[in-house]
Amino acid sequence: MPLPYSASAAASPTPTAGHRPRWWAELPLVLVIYAAYSAVRLLAGGDVSTAVEHGLAILRVEQALFLNLEHPLNRLFTSTPAIGIPADFLYAALHYVVTPGILVWLFRRRPDVYRSARVWILCVTVLGLAGFVLMPTCPPRLLAAEHGFVDTMAQYSAYGWWGGEASAPRGLGGMTNQYAAMPSLHVGWAVWCGVMMWRYARTPLVKWLGVVYPLVITVVVMGTANHYFLDAVGGAAVVVLGGLLVKPVTRAADRLWGARVRERRARSEGRLSDALGAAPEPGAAPVTAPFPTRPAAIVSGGCETSAGERFPGQRTRAGTPTGTGSTAGAGAEDAVGAPSADDTPATAR
């Protein structure tokens, strides 16, 4: 059975497996990460003409491979409000609810895997931001009308809180980057949520919801003309790549954290040693012991007992003075001369 505390555990400055992080430290961390994601996404707009070229190139590849599922789905969503309106709500809201909900669930129910799951979705998000910067892509809904796509978010904007510009609330469309289609992080985050639900849920219903959820989101992002099919493939790809980065990123974070802890510990020990062993100031009186020191007295007085001998019978060790003057001389004669009564074995006495 593992001990609750061991020297090896005490010496390790890295977080231990299964240790639940403090919520008041995790919440600001997640908020800062999301704020950084939003800021980088907004700043990674790129040139509009380049984004349109990338979007048309993706569409041509899909048409050549007969993968352009966006057209029939978009026609279905625009012609059937009973499908299109709920789909717009799902696109605008679910990633704000399900993704943090899965994180909270893992934090409370599975603290042993929470840290790796958090690192995983962080890697997915960073890879998605890299895609936005390196390949700005125009979504299908922003292409010219001749390409046959209808923006369902704009068509059904009267039913929701979003405006015609994006899924952001009305008037805040300029606060988001509309040319961040490749990869689809709606799909990437949904795949991550599905993996977490399939792996760690206890009931079969929740496990199968983990399978259905990313499939539904994939259909929604194409039917609302917010993403191409290859955008969805890119979202799933960054989940796989992010999963491969979890261990090296965690090890690097542990090394950085351990170096920081050791540095703090060294500074603390240095201050303590300086305080205890500080040199006296020039001109200060030397520090002396408060009491004079004396050599420790020998308690036995040089006497010892032989095997089987009982107190008070004792004999003096040869060559060890036990007194002063004549007494010491007599003791020396007894030690050299005839055997004394004390030399008689205890059984003979």
Side-chain angles (χ1 to χ4, degrees), residues 172-211:
L172 299 180
M175 299 291 292
T176 184
N177 178 13
Q178 299 190 73
Y179 298 98
M182 171 62 83
S184 171
L185 283 185
H186 273 76
V187 174
W189 290 337
V191 171
W192 175 86
C193 292
V195 172
M196 296 298 106
M197 295 165 72
W198 178 262
R199 276 188 178 182
Y200 305 118
R202 296 180 179 178
T203 61
L205 176 60
V206 179
K207 286 181 176 292
W208 282 107
L209 285 176
V211 176

Side-chain angles (χ1 to χ4, degrees), residues 257-282:
W257 178 256
R260 184 179 179 186
V261 171
R262 287 191 294 270
E263 182 182 357
R264 286 183 176 180
R265 187 178 299 168
R267 285 201 303 263
S268 177
E269 292 175 353
R271 287 193 297 265
L272 181 60
S273 61
D274 290 343
L276 294 178
E281 297 181 359

Side-chain angles (χ1 to χ4, degrees), residues 55-72 75 143 146-149 228-230:
L56 292 176
I58 291 175
L59 188 60
R60 285 193 293 268
V61 171
E62 289 186 354
Q63 290 173 345
L65 299 176
F66 301 100
L67 296 175
N68 55 324
L69 304 176
E70 305 89 350
H71 277 111
R75 287 193 292 268
L143 293 176
E146 61 190 44
H147 296 287
F149 292 103
Y228 306 95
F229 174 75
L230 290 182

Side-chain angles (χ1 to χ4, degrees), residues 71 73-89 141-142 148-167 170 222-226:
H71 277 111
L73 287 173
N74 184 241
R75 287 193 292 268
L76 175 64
F77 282 31
T78 54
S79 62
T80 312
I83 298 177
I85 295 174
D88 286 345
F89 275 98
R141 62 185 178 86
L142 295 182
F149 292 103
V150 176
D151 186 355
T152 62
M153 304 293 291
Q155 179 179 352
Y156 300 124
S157 61
Y159 295 92
W161 61 83
W162 56 86
E165 295 178 333
S167 60
R170 291 186 181 88
M222 291 191 295
T224 57
N226 280 285

Side-chain angles (χ1 to χ4, degrees), residues 124-152:
V124 170
T125 304
V126 171
L127 291 172
L129 288 175
F132 301 158
V133 174
L134 298 176
M135 188 177 175
T137 304
C138 177
R141 62 185 178 86
L142 295 182
L143 293 176
E146 61 190 44
H147 296 287
F149 292 103
V150 176
D151 186 355
T152 62

